[in-house]
Structure formats: structure tokens, C-alpha cells
Amino acid sequence: SQTIHQWPATLVQPVGSPLSLECTVEGTSNPNLYWYRQAAGRGLQLLFYSVGIGQISSEVPQNLSASRPQDRQFILSSKKLLLSDSGFYLCAWSRASGGSSEQFFGPGTRLTVL
Amino acid sequence: KNQVEQSPQSLIILEGKNCTLQCNYTVSPFSNLRWYKQDTGRGPVSLTIMTFSENTKSNGRYTATLDADTKQSSLHITASQLSDSASYICVVSMTGGYNKLIFGAGTRLAVHP
């Protein structure tokens, strides 16, 4: 069966510090991978998606970047965190068999920027 | 603009009671509609999926309906349990491309004993 992991589960960082959140998927190959941010009382906002190693697409301009160094690894980064980067970050995967495949979400990372 | 709107924003019910959550969408081209359950501090988990031609889908005590003409969906929860306390998110998938999803803001349901 497939599983998706995220770490850390929670993170408190000062403004201006760097960020690295990691997501890994097990039990599948060549998945589509996604990073979402969820603000309180708001819907999930897609930040990045990837259809393959080294292939990253950004949905919204922001202070963050993403990388996919391996098939089942997706990393969310920032060089200098802003207060507005606080939120709940979710990684998800779906089969690469085309549109309308279900997305499976990880447990999330709660980021607080102080 | 592709949007998904949910109502109510929050809801409190007593254990054992039924409730219905609403979802209106303006998403095109439409592929399917899912309801997700998200426990506090956890990732969302899919409850039901409906395509354009499906009117209703059940998953235990959860029953979802879809009216593709009016672009409305509902999630009915029967005989609520304390464990139903969560956020319920309506998500519409668009056809083509990389499987883009449009998320509603969710309805926060609290079931009290």
C-alpha cells in the first residue's frame, strides 16, 4: 500500500530564517506530487506541483520554492521566512495516469513564523 | 473564475442527529466532485467521489448528492457520532492537465454529546 510522510510535524521559526520541509511517498512510482498551504478558515491553496524529477510548476508567486530531487521526494524551501508564511502545509500525491485521479494527503506540517 | 463555496461555515449538532452540508461550485471543465473529511491538524481524507453522471453516492453514514445542472452538492451525515467532528471540504476536479483541484473553505462540524 502507498503511504506519504511529512516532517517535521510542527516547526517554529524566526522571521528571516531558512525553511526546508520534506515529503516522501512510498509504495508507488512516478507519482504527481503537490504542495498546498492551508490558512485558518480558508481553502487549500496549491503552491507547487511536480509531474517528474526536476519538473516543478508554481501556481502562485511567493517566497517559497520547491524541488524534487528523487522520484518520491518533494521538498519545500525558503531562504528567508516571512510572517505570512505561517500556516499548515500539506503534501499530496496522485497517480500520473491523467486528470481526475484522487489526491492523497500527508499528515501536514504546522509552521509558525515569529 | 473557478470557485467552490460551502455553507454553513460551521455547525454544531448533538450526537445522534442528522445534518446536511452544502457546496456550490463554478468550475469548468468539470471532472468530478469529492467530499473530504479533515480532522484537526491532519491531512484531508476522501469520503466520496461523484462524476458528472452520478446523482448520489454513499459511504456508510455519509451520503453525497450532486446536481450537475445547478452545480450543487450536499453531504448528509446520518446518526452523527462524536468522531464526526471535523472539517468537511468540498473539492472539484478539473479535466485535463495535471489534475487541478479547486477546494472549498470547508464546513467545521462539532458533534456534542
Side-chain angles (χ1 to χ4, degrees):
Chain A
S1 63
Q2 301 85 14
T3 55
I4 178 168
H5 304 278
Q6 285 186 245
W7 64 88
T10 60
L11 190 60
V12 180
Q13 292 284 95
V15 169
S17 63
L19 173 73
S20 180
L21 304 182
E22 190 164 343
C23 171
T24 58
V25 181
E26 297 177 353
T28 187
S29 58
N30 194 32
N32 288 347
L33 296 173
Y34 312 84
W35 275 114
Y36 291 91
R37 177 167 57 205
Q38 185 176 34
R42 307 285 295 275
L44 273 71
Q45 179 187 37
L46 179 64
L47 302 175
F48 301 94
Y49 69 92
S50 171
V51 298
I53 296 174
Q55 301 178 61
I56 308 296
S57 296
S58 174
E59 279 291 293
V60 294
Q62 59 202 299
N63 183 43
L64 303 169
S65 62
S67 61
R68 185 170 176 174
Q70 302 180 43
D71 181 47
R72 289 167 288 179
Q73 184 184 31
F74 206 21
I75 297 173
L76 184 69
S77 304
S78 174
K79 292 183 179 179
K80 289 186 178 182
L81 282 169
L82 306 172
L83 287 174
S84 57
D85 291 324
S86 294
F88 191 52
Y89 289 83
L90 287 159
C91 179
W93 74 273
S94 70
R95 290 180 175 82
S97 56
S100 77
S101 295
E102 179 177 356
Q103 290 189 19
F104 300 89
F105 290 85
T109 294
R110 173 75 58 188
L111 172 66
T112 303
V113 182
L114 301 176
Chain B
K1 182 179 179 182
N2 292 311
Q3 279 186 311
V4 176
E5 296 183 350
Q6 293 186 241
S7 62
Q9 188 175 31
S10 62
L11 182 62
I12 300 174
I13 62 173
L14 294 177
E15 186 179 14
K17 298 298 185 182
N18 304 335
C19 66
T20 300
L21 314 180
Q22 301 291 342
C23 172
N24 297 334
Y25 63 93
T26 53
V27 177
S28 181
F30 174 91
S31 175
N32 60 63
L33 184 147
R34 295 180 187 271
W35 283 92
Y36 279 82
K37 178 185 179 185
Q38 185 178 22
D39 293 317
T40 301
R42 306 292 295 276
V45 176
S46 179
L47 293 175
T48 65
I49 177 175
M50 288 179 292
T51 59
F52 185 86
S53 59
E54 296 177 297
N55 300 116
T56 186
K57 186 72 71 75
S58 291
N59 178 3
R61 295 180 296 101
Y62 300 104
T63 299
T65 65
L66 174 64
D67 186 332
D69 292 330
T70 62
K71 299 187 177 181
Q72 296 179 327
S73 176
S74 66
L75 180 69
H76 186 75
I77 304 175
T78 304
S80 61
Q81 301 176 359
L82 297 179
S83 59
D84 292 331
S85 295
S87 287
Y88 291 85
I89 304 173
C90 177
V91 185
V92 178
S93 176
M94 301 175 69
T95 58
Y98 64 87
N99 182 31
K100 183 170 184 175
L101 303 182
I102 309 297
F103 290 80
T107 293
R108 181 169 293 279
L109 174 65
V111 181
H112 290 182

